């Protein structure tokens, strides 16, 4: 009995490490960062549903299933980054301190809002069959409806990035547990809405 418990613990740790390495390898070409992230969350969703068919197979299946939506989201994210950089470049040309302060505050709020929405994009993507429009809409709704959970997810991501910045080697193990905790938090909120609406689906 003791040996079986230790085996289960070691197997879980190994699976998280393998998933993390798979995510890192598939994220190396930056263009596949978002599909790889969707695949990682998809594997975690499968674990939650006790659908374990092998981590490599699970990852590839989820990579394929969520590739389209994740690429669309990445394009929007890149457009947002470009606009943000251009806006900050324009700020350097302004001479009015008041305008600089106002635009800086606005850009900061937009950035925070985008980060909040991002916390729900991948958990929703792998949990429900939503159109891209409804995926974005529900991400916005959940980020506002469950603000404390959204803030907690953002803190988890920030802490993980901070640790990696200090100890880079930790990147080999930290991102899959990070995704796991974020998914658990988001799923709890999904379940709350499902119970309130007495259905297993979110807004479609």
């Amino acid at each position: 009995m003791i040996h079986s418990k230790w085996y289960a613990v070691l197997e879980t740790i190994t699976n998280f490490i393998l998933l993390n390495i798979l995510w890192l390898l598939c994220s190396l070409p930056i263009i596949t960062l978002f599909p790889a992230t969707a695949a990682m969350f998809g594997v975690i969703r499968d674990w939650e549903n006790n659908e374990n068919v092998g981590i490599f197979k699970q990852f590839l299946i989820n990579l394929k299933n969520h590739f389209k939506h994740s690429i669309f989201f990445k394009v929007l994210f890149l457009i947002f980054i470009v606009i943000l950089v251009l806006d900050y470049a324009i700020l350097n040309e302004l001479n009015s301190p008041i305008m600089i302060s106002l635009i800086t505050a606005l850009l900061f709020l937009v950035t925070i809002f985008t980060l909040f929405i991002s916390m729900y994009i991948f958990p929703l993507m792998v949990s429900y069959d939503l159109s891209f429009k409804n995926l974005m809409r529900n991400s916005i709704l959940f980020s506002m409806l469950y603000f404390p959970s959204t803030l907690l997810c953002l803190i988890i991501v920030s802490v993980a990035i901070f640790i990696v910045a200090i100890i880079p080697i930790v990147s080999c193990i930290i991102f899959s547990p990070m995704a796991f905790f974020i998914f658990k938090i988001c799923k709890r909120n999904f379940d709350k809405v499902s119970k309130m609406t007495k259905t297993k689906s979110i807004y479609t």
Side-chain angles (χ1 to χ4, degrees), residues 15-30:
N15 284 338
F16 272 107
I17 293 174
L18 286 175
L19 179 59
N20 202 104
I21 292 173
L22 272 175
W23 178 80
L24 284 174
L25 291 175
C26 291
S27 299
L28 285 178
I30 300 300

Side-chain angles (χ1 to χ4, degrees), residues 18-44 55 58-71 74 122 125-126 175-176 178-179:
L18 286 175
L19 179 59
N20 202 104
I21 292 173
L22 272 175
W23 178 80
L24 284 174
L25 291 175
C26 291
S27 299
L28 285 178
I30 300 300
I31 193 171
T32 58
L33 172 61
F34 282 55
T37 303
M40 177 167 65
F41 274 93
V43 171
I44 292 171
I55 187 168
Q58 284 177 293
F59 191 88
L60 291 175
I61 290 174
N62 281 287
L63 187 66
K64 179 182 177 182
N65 290 343
H66 305 297
F67 189 84
K68 184 179 179 181
H69 275 168
S70 57
I71 284 294
K74 177 173 182 173
F122 294 110
M125 187 185 298
V126 302
F175 292 112
S176 55
M178 176 199 76

Side-chain angles (χ1 to χ4, degrees), residues 5 12 18 59 71 107 125 129 135 145 150 168 177 179 189 198:
K5 287 183 178 179
T12 300
L18 286 175
F59 191 88
I71 284 294
L107 291 176
M125 187 185 298
D129 185 16
L135 178 61
L145 186 61
T150 307
N189 295 336
K198 296 182 180 180

Side-chain angles (χ1 to χ4, degrees), residues 25-124:
L25 291 175
C26 291
S27 299
L28 285 178
I30 300 300
I31 193 171
T32 58
L33 172 61
F34 282 55
T37 303
M40 177 167 65
F41 274 93
V43 171
I44 292 171
R45 184 275 321 273
D46 293 341
W47 289 348
E48 284 290 297
N49 295 335
N50 294 317
E51 301 173 8
N52 195 343
V53 295
I55 187 168
F56 295 101
K57 185 176 181 180
Q58 284 177 293
F59 191 88
L60 291 175
I61 290 174
N62 281 287
L63 187 66
K64 179 182 177 182
N65 290 343
H66 305 297
F67 189 84
K68 184 179 179 181
H69 275 168
S70 57
I71 284 294
F72 281 161
F73 179 60
K74 177 173 182 173
V75 170
L76 284 180
F77 188 78
L78 289 176
I79 291 173
F80 170 76
I81 293 297
V82 170
I83 293 174
L84 201 64
V85 171
L86 289 175
D87 285 340
Y88 276 114
I90 292 173
L91 280 178
N92 294 327
E93 303 298 323
L94 295 177
N95 296 319
S96 171
I98 296 178
M99 284 298 296
I100 291 176
S101 299
L102 287 174
I103 295 176
T104 300
L106 179 61
L107 291 176
F108 177 77
L109 290 175
V110 171
T111 301
I112 293 297
F113 183 65
T114 302
L115 290 174
F116 277 11
I117 294 172
S118 301
M119 296 300 103
Y120 285 93
I121 287 287
F122 294 110
L124 275 170

